[in-house]
Amino acid sequence: MSEEKYALELREITKVFNRGTVNEKLALSGLSLNLLPGDFVTIIGGNGAGKSTMLNAIAGVWPVDSGRVIVDGTDITALPEHKRALYLGRVFQDPMNGTAATMDIEENMAIASRRGQRQTLRRGVSAKEREFFRERLASLGLGLEERMTSKVGLLSGGQRQAITLLMAAIKKPKLLLLDEHTAALDPKTAAKVLEISDRIIEENQLTALMVTHNMRDAIAHGNRLIMMDEGRIIYDVRGEEKKNLHVKDLLAKFEEVSGTEFANDRMMLG
Amino acid sequence: MLAYFSSLSFLTLLRALPGSVAQGMVWGIMALGVYITFRLLDFADLTVDGSMAFGAAVCVMLIRGGVHPIVATLIAFLAGMVAGLVTGLLNTLLGIPGILASILTQIGLYSINLHVMGKSNQPVSVDNYPLLVSLRYVTGSAKSRAFFFLGMVIFLVVLICVLYSYFGTEQGQAIRATGCNPNMARAQGINTNFIKVLTLMISNGLVGLSGAMYGQFQGAADVNMGRGAIVIGLAAVIIGEVLFGKWTVKRKAAFGWTLGAVIIGAIVYYLVYQFVLWLKMPSEDMKLLSAVVVAVFLAIPYLKEKKSQRKGAKA
Ligand SMILES: Nc1ncnc2c1ncn2[C@@H]1O[C@H](COP(=O)(O)OP(=O)(O)O)[C@@H](O)[C@H]1O
Ligand SMILES: [Mg+2]
């Protein structure tokens, strides 16, 4: 047991895809990371750096090859994906991914609010829950509380991401995982969803990991920033030092450590 | 030509129609099972061809062995569930792709059904046993016919109400979420493998029940009676959607009406079947016709989407 209780400990995580084939890819290379409770970490890095793979390793989408994943002192490395859901809230890049399109808004929220419990034969949405969901939805300021029995598939990408955020936070998870969750949205909607993310993290005092392709966002949000390359963390700043960062500092850092230029990458500078 | 038309007796058709409606009601239960796997779980389950005959074989042999038809029919429901369990475990525990897993169960059931019956066909006569359903109730007196249809309608309405309530429970929501978006379901803590197995069991339970009723209805269980059942089930689902799809979505309790539409789809299927027979088209061609109709209607939404995408790309 470590002296300090971390919200998340990644110990020497290694993940190889397609081992033994020509497509063999070392996606995580002995990656370690410790987060304190309440840390809000933004993650940047080039395409294929392993950012999504790191979040997927935490979420248990597939087993890792070696290393441990410890959330709030509990080793969850051996747990299947659906059992880890108790500890985690997740929002994905594709707005289609986080919700069930053919189900009502309130049904999606009800499923999220039972995360980690057994599904019984009780009514899917009770009157009491409905009131709670209405209040949560109203807090988004998008008017969705008036459309609780609409199918989620009828909503825009931004509305779906906002609902997915609510769902992710509804059980106050030990860790919130946001994987480029504004990348598929237009700039205005993206800004709105980011603002909602900030508020939800703050209100619930969540520990969060947020992957973003926008360096300015990475600097402006959270209390800590990490840069990844080739399945490792190559840069890690926090506090005042992070606040005073500029995009050009990050570019310089990337070139210094990885020896390649960012310019030809998908990464957005603005 | 004239001789052909004059040989068609409208009265014969009329007389055959109640039997077709009854048959459609019985097969409609199977179609509900297909709807649950195909539309709700998004799993193409070919187990049904085997579990239909399994339900019939188990039920008929139990009745012949002196078990009351009600009990025998319920046991056939459980037998169908076991068939679904096998497919589910082959898929989730052993990692065999869904369609293949269900074909393996279906093929295995063929031999099992022969063992259950001892031969390929076993009769059960309404003269000797108090069967729950029988074609003879339909062709008999007006009173027995009215009684039969009243009973069937009540049973189907109750069944639809039960399914409607079930799919509104926490467990039912987990099934629908798993079918709609398995990634989301797992991220929300749903054990999608367990849900798959559970749903396959419920679906094949209904198919086994339908088989048990159809065995009694026609007075015999036959090892081949489920052959092509999946296509009939899909046809019923699609006919229901085409005829009532637009209408049901606007209703309150839309899902309940959708289930009702599946049963009506099965009834329409057997009415068309009767009509085609009446036109003296060879009945062997009915399966080909069904397959073509199902293929066309499954293709339509896909082609529509492709067309609108092409339009979008041009714009
Ligand atoms: N499920 C997978 N199967 C095979 N290769 C994968 C898989 N997921 C990711 N990879 C590979 O691992 C590397 C890291 O991917 P990823 O973590 O998605 O990068 P990013 O930092 O852009 O999110 C890439 O080379 C990618 O192609
Ligand atoms: Mg990624």
Side-chain angles (χ1 to χ4, degrees):
Chain A
M1 193 71 205
S2 45
E3 288 167 41
E4 211 161 0
K5 194 170 177 192
Y6 291 113
L8 170 73
E9 283 179 76
L10 297 180
R11 289 193 199 150
E12 302 273 325
I13 305 276
T14 301
K15 178 69 190 177
V16 178
F17 287 113
N18 307 313
R19 192 186 282 280
T21 73
V22 287
N23 294 321
E24 181 167 304
K25 170 80 198 173
L26 176 63
L28 294 179
S29 153
L31 178 103
S32 297
L33 177 68
N34 292 334
L35 300 192
L36 294 171
D39 267 351
F40 176 3
V41 182
T42 57
I43 306 169
I44 56 172
N47 220 352
K51 306 180 295 291
S52 298
T53 305
M54 175 168 87
L55 298 202
N56 288 339
I58 298 170
V61 175
W62 21 248
V64 294
D65 296 330
S66 65
R68 314 302 308 173
V69 179
I70 299 162
V71 172
D72 195 35
T74 311
D75 189 329
I76 61 169
T77 319
L79 293 185
E81 187 177 3
H82 70 269
K83 287 202 173 140
R84 298 190 192 193
L86 175 63
Y87 305 93
L88 307 175
R90 290 159 71 192
V91 185
F92 312 94
Q93 176 170 355
D94 183 351
M96 303 301 148
N97 235 330
T99 43
T102 56
M103 299 177 72
D104 300 347
I105 293 179
E106 61 177 26
E107 287 183 308
N108 273 276
M109 306 236 345
I111 286 174
S113 73
R114 290 192 298 269
R115 202 151 65 221
Q117 280 158 246
R118 206 159 240 308
Q119 296 92 28
T120 69
L121 293 179
R122 274 196 289 268
R123 280 278 294 275
V125 189
S126 71
K128 202 175 125 213
E129 283 177 318
R130 195 166 282 131
E131 272 325 295
F132 173 59
F133 299 156
R134 185 186 303 284
E135 175 239 313
R136 296 307 305 143
L137 285 165
S139 75
L140 292 175
L142 299 173
L144 293 173
E145 65 279 10
E146 303 303 327
R147 303 174 61 185
M148 303 231 311
T149 54
S150 292
K151 301 269 176 278
V152 169
L154 300 173
L155 305 180
S156 70
Q159 290 170 326
R160 286 181 80 157
Q161 287 305 65
I163 291 177
T164 311
L165 270 166
L166 276 190
M167 289 166 57
I170 207 163
K171 291 279 277 185
K172 295 218 192 323
K174 302 286 183 211
L175 190 62
L176 181 65
L177 305 176
L178 309 172
D179 191 356
E180 300 204 43
H181 69 307
T182 62
L185 308 174
D186 66 77
K188 214 175 126 214
T189 315
K192 173 89 188 158
V193 169
L194 255 183
E195 179 199 316
I196 295 171
S197 315
D198 270 343
R199 203 174 64 225
I200 287 180
I201 290 169
E202 162 116 20
E203 272 171 13
N204 298 288
Q205 301 183 338
L206 300 177
T207 310
L209 283 170
M210 179 172 90
V211 178
T212 174
H213 61 285
N214 185 311
M215 292 204 193
R216 202 162 278 172
D217 286 343
I219 296 169
H221 298 263
N223 65 333
R224 183 173 168 191
L225 179 150
I226 61 180
M227 186 187 283
M228 288 183 68
D229 188 51
E230 294 185 342
R232 295 164 300 133
I233 293 171
I234 56 170
Y235 186 48
D236 185 347
V237 273
R238 62 184 91 202
E240 282 305 307
E241 196 188 348
K242 168 182 176 287
K243 266 192 211 138
N244 298 328
L245 275 177
H246 291 282
V247 170
K248 63 176 186 341
D249 303 329
L250 292 180
L251 289 176
K253 190 77 207 166
F254 184 85
E255 281 164 35
E256 172 198 323
V257 182
S258 73
T260 52
E261 271 202 49
F262 239 137
N264 55 3
D265 207 282
R266 189 177 56 106
M267 198 86 161
M268 283 214 305
L269 312 177
Chain B
M1 193 68 184
L2 206 65
Y4 167 72
F5 276 112
S6 63
S7 78
L8 299 177
S9 154
F10 197 62
L11 222 67
T12 325
L13 178 65
L14 272 187
R15 244 182 265 130
L17 289 187
S20 305
V21 173
Q23 191 172 355
M25 287 173 149
V26 170
W27 280 75
I29 299 168
M30 190 248 359
L32 287 177
V34 171
Y35 178 84
I36 289 169
T37 44
F38 187 69
R39 283 290 187 233
L40 293 186
L41 189 64
D42 196 19
F43 188 111
D45 178 27
L46 305 187
T47 314
V48 294
D49 288 25
S51 49
M52 183 93 188
F54 190 39
V58 166
C59 179
V60 165
M61 294 316 286
L62 285 172
I63 293 175
R64 285 169 61 98
V67 176
H68 191 278
I70 292 184
V71 179
T73 305
L74 287 177
I75 294 175
F77 178 82
L78 297 179
M81 289 184 91
V82 172
L85 174 69
V86 172
T87 299
L89 293 181
L90 287 175
N91 176 232
T92 59
L93 214 60
L94 305 180
I96 299 169
I99 292 189
L100 185 54
S102 68
I103 290 176
L104 292 177
T105 312
Q106 182 205 110
I107 298 294
L109 277 172
Y110 189 87
S111 301
I112 290 177
N113 289 334
L114 284 173
H115 280 296
V116 170
M117 294 192 287
K119 52 185 179 148
S120 64
N121 187 296
Q122 285 281 7
V124 61
S125 168
V126 70
D127 294 329
N128 308 329
Y129 305 100
L131 300 182
L132 298 179
V133 286
S134 171
L135 183 59
R136 287 261 289 282
Y137 302 156
V138 180
T139 55
S141 68
K143 197 175 144 208
S144 87
R145 182 156 53 239
F147 205 69
F148 170 85
F149 279 112
L150 188 68
M152 270 312 276
V153 169
I154 291 174
F155 176 70
L156 291 174
V157 169
V158 169
L159 182 63
I160 287 173
C161 288
V162 168
L163 289 174
Y164 176 79
S165 313
Y166 177 71
F167 282 102
T169 65
E170 296 177 3
Q171 217 171 68
Q173 283 181 346
I175 292 174
R176 286 153 58 216
T178 300
C180 175
N181 185 347
N183 288 323
M184 172 269 192
R186 277 189 293 272
Q188 299 301 342
I190 294 169
N191 184 346
T192 49
N193 279 343
F194 170 77
I195 290 292
K196 257 198 221 173
V197 175
L198 176 71
T199 314
L200 286 165
M201 289 177 72
I202 294 169
S203 165
N204 281 286
L206 288 171
V207 177
L209 173 68
S210 172
M213 290 173 74
Y214 191 58
Q216 295 174 64
F217 182 79
Q218 65 170 12
D222 189 298
V223 73
N224 285 318
M225 64 184 272
R227 181 168 286 178
I230 181 72
V231 177
I232 297 175
L234 288 175
V237 169
I238 288 165
I239 293 169
E241 285 171 351
V242 169
L243 293 182
F244 302 104
K246 286 224 172 72
W247 182 83
T248 52
V249 290
K250 281 183 272 173
R251 305 259 114 193
K252 237 177 120 70
F255 179 67
W257 293 105
T258 304
L259 294 178
V262 171
I263 304 262
I264 294 178
I267 294 172
V268 170
Y269 177 90
Y270 277 102
L271 287 174
V272 171
Y273 183 80
Q274 196 58 54
F275 183 69
V276 167
L277 286 185
W278 179 71
L279 290 176
K280 301 211 164 74
M281 270 171 63
S283 65
E284 311 85 272
D285 290 345
M286 194 59 198
K287 289 224 157 95
L288 177 61
L289 183 68
S290 314
V292 171
V293 168
V294 167
V296 167
F297 279 99
L298 286 180
I300 284 175
Y302 172 76
L303 294 177
K304 260 193 191 156
E305 181 156 334
K306 228 168 92 173
K307 200 172 150 198
S308 72
Q309 265 172 7
R310 225 178 293 135
K311 253 192 218 149
K314 259 184 228 158

